[in-house]
Amino acid sequence: MSWQQKIDAALAARRSANALRRRTTVDQGTGRWLTFSGRRYLNFSSNDYLGLSQHPQVVRAWQQGAERYGVGSGGSGHVSGYTTAHRALEAALADWLGYARALLFISGFAANQALIAALMTKEDRIIADRLSHASLQEAASLNPASLRRFAHNDVGHLARLLDQPCPGRRLVVTEGVFSMDGDGAPLAEIARAARDGDAWLLVDDAHGIGVTGEQGRGSCWHQRVKPELLVVTFGKGFGVSGAAILCADDVAEYLLQFARHLIYSTSMPPAQAQALRASLAILRSAEGDERRAALAARVARFRAGVRRAGFAPTASHSAIQPLWVGDNLRALALAQALRDRGCWVTAIRPPTVPAGTARLRLTLTCSQRTEDIDRLLEALHDAGQ
Ligand SMILES: *Cc1c(COP(=O)(O)O)cnc(C)c1O
C-alpha cells in the first residue's frame, strides 16, 4: 500500500463510520455565546467553566506581562526561558495545593507524556483506569513499561491487578473528573489500594482543578488525598492554557533532569504565567467561590430537568454532562437539531469514546444564566422528539 492509498483508506474508513472529524471555525468560542458564521448560539461546548478566559483582570495581567517581558519566553527553561514570572507561578501553585514543588508545562498533554516517559522503564507497570484521557493512554502505550487497565472506578479490580507480580515499580493512574463522562473517581479508596500495593498514584485533575473543593483546590484536596504526582491543567477552569505537575522536592529535581518535554521545549510565555497567576488569585478569592456556586446552580438545574427533557440523568455532578445516544449518526443529528434551536452542543464519537457510546457532551459554565439552561432543556425536549 502506498502512502496515498494508506491515507485514502484511513479517511474512507472514518467517513463510512460517520466518524470523520472536522473543525468548525468559530468567531468566538468562550463565554455565554458562541458565534459562528454571523449567528450566535448559547455555548454548551466550552471547558472555560468559570468564565476566566475573558476576565478583565486575567486579560490585563497578560497584557502587562507582554509589555514587561515581550510575548515569547525565548527558550527552554533550562536555558533562558525560566523567568521570575514562571517561578512566582510555580511557588503560588505549590502553596495553594500543599506540595513542595510545581513544575510548569506548556500543556497537559505534554505534562502527561513527560511524566510517564521520565518515570517508567521496561520492568515497571502502569495500572490505569480504562477511561483515562487520551494523553495518558498515549503516554502509557508508547512506554516500554507494561500496561494494565482496570474497569472504570473499580477499586476491587485495581487491587487484584496490584496483587499480580511485577518485576519493577507500579504507577496507578486515574483522573479527578473524567473528561467524557464527567463523573469523579473514588480517590481515597484508590489511594489506599495504591498504598497497600506499594505503588505510587498519579491523578490528572484537568477538569476538577479550580472548579471543585475549597478555594478550587480540586478533586484530591476535596477528598483529602495527596497523590505522589498531581497533574493540573490550565485550559479548563483556569481559562488559559498550560499545565503543572505537583510533587515532592526530589521528584521535581528528577523531572528537571529527565522530563524531555520540559528540557527540549520552549517554556510558556512569561506573560501567560502572569495571566495564570491572576487567574489563580481569582480562583482562591470570594469571587472564585461565587463563580463556583453559580456553576453548581447551573448543574443542579440541568440535572433536575433532564429527565423531563427525555434523557436519563447521568452519574455526573460536574460541569460535564454527557447525554448518551449510542449511534454516531443520531448523535450528529441531535447536535444539529440543537444548533437549529440556538444551542451549540458537541457530539462525541468513537474513537474518542468506546464504540457504540456516541454521546452529546454538554458543558455548563458560570457564564450561563438560569434561563439559558431552561432553553437548553426545552431544545433537548423538542430535538429528541
Ligand atoms: C484536557 C485534558 C488534558 C490535556 O490538557 P491540555 O492542557 O489541553 O493539553 C489532559 N488530561 C485530561 C484529563 C484532560 O481532560
Side-chain angles (χ1 to χ4, degrees):
M1 206 193 269
S2 69
W3 281 111
Q4 195 58 53
Q5 286 165 328
K6 174 197 156 86
I7 288 164
D8 291 345
L11 290 174
R14 279 281 164 95
R15 273 192 202 97
S16 68
N18 299 308
L20 191 72
R21 300 175 206 243
R22 290 175 193 285
R23 296 182 299 179
T24 307
T25 313
V26 300
D27 300 309
Q28 169 71 42
T30 57
R32 185 181 176 209
W33 301 102
L34 179 147
T35 49
F36 166 67
S37 195
R39 222 189 125 182
R40 64 177 204 178
Y41 301 79
L42 287 170
N43 186 358
F44 296 102
S45 282
S46 153
N47 294 328
D48 182 18
Y49 303 126
L50 299 174
L52 295 185
S53 80
Q54 299 183 25
H55 195 291
Q57 276 162 249
V58 180
V59 173
R60 190 76 202 113
W62 194 308
Q63 288 168 337
Q64 285 173 342
E67 279 155 23
R68 174 166 169 195
Y69 295 96
V71 293
S73 71
S76 157
H78 282 58
V79 185
S80 58
Y82 184 68
T83 65
T84 47
H86 296 90
R87 191 180 58 195
L89 175 59
E90 287 184 346
L93 289 166
D95 171 66
W96 179 48
L97 296 171
Y99 279 80
R101 296 283 289 276
L103 292 179
L104 297 177
F105 285 78
I106 54 160
S107 74
F109 202 103
N112 285 336
Q113 303 309 303
L115 190 51
I116 287 177
L119 285 175
M120 310 301 291
T121 38
K122 196 160 169 282
E123 67 271 20
D124 300 328
R125 178 165 297 163
I126 298 164
I127 308 178
D129 188 289
R130 199 172 276 288
L131 294 189
S132 298
H133 189 259
S135 58
L136 293 163
Q137 307 263 7
E138 167 98 355
S141 59
L142 289 177
N143 197 275
S146 57
L147 169 64
R148 299 284 185 277
R149 304 201 299 166
F150 60 96
H152 180 50
N153 282 345
D154 186 339
V155 185
H157 190 201
L158 166 63
R160 288 197 298 284
L161 291 176
L162 280 164
D163 268 345
Q164 293 176 357
C166 160
R169 294 145 294 261
R170 278 169 287 214
L171 180 68
V172 174
V173 174
T174 191
E175 290 177 25
V177 176
F178 284 84
S179 54
M180 291 299 139
D181 292 62
D183 57 339
L187 292 173
E189 292 164 56
I190 288 174
R192 203 174 309 118
R195 199 176 333 109
D196 292 349
D198 208 18
W200 271 17
L201 174 61
L202 159 59
V203 177
D204 175 345
D205 201 22
H207 295 276
I209 200 69
V211 181
T212 54
E214 183 203 347
Q215 281 188 31
R217 287 177 171 123
S219 311
C220 292
W221 186 282
H222 190 58
Q223 297 190 45
R224 298 180 203 289
V225 169
K226 191 176 171 187
E228 285 80 6
L229 302 161
L230 171 62
V231 172
V232 299
T233 73
F234 306 135
K236 286 131 189 175
F238 271 76
V240 189
S241 78
I245 296 174
L246 284 296
C247 59
D249 215 10
D250 47 0
V251 179
E253 289 304 317
Y254 177 90
L255 292 172
L256 286 172
Q257 316 309 311
F258 301 109
R260 304 170 68 82
H261 299 66
L262 199 61
I263 303 166
Y264 299 106
S265 186
T266 303
S267 65
M268 74 168 58
Q272 182 181 336
Q274 296 287 66
L276 284 165
R277 207 141 54 87
S279 192
L280 175 56
I282 297 162
L283 290 172
R284 297 188 74 165
S285 71
E287 183 186 340
D289 289 336
E290 283 160 24
R291 287 175 179 260
R292 282 184 287 274
L295 173 60
R298 304 296 169 267
V299 173
R301 191 166 186 95
F302 177 79
R303 286 179 56 81
V306 71
R307 195 186 295 280
R308 255 179 295 120
F311 290 84
T314 65
S316 167
H317 290 267
S318 73
I320 302 164
Q321 292 290 323
L323 295 181
W324 197 84
V325 180
D327 178 63
N328 285 3
L329 267 188
R330 196 169 124 70
L332 288 173
L334 206 49
Q336 187 54 51
L338 288 166
R339 284 181 195 180
D340 294 343
R341 289 164 176 80
C343 297
W344 194 277
V345 167
T346 310
I348 306 279
R349 293 164 290 163
T352 304
V353 292
T357 73
R359 68 198 69 180
L360 299 181
R361 179 179 181 272
L362 303 167
T363 51
L364 305 180
T365 72
C366 76
S367 310
Q368 289 147 1
R369 302 190 182 157
T370 304
E371 64 260 32
D372 300 345
I373 305 297
D374 295 345
R375 205 169 130 202
L376 168 67
L377 289 166
E378 219 171 278
L380 275 170
H381 179 268
D382 297 347
Q385 295 293 301

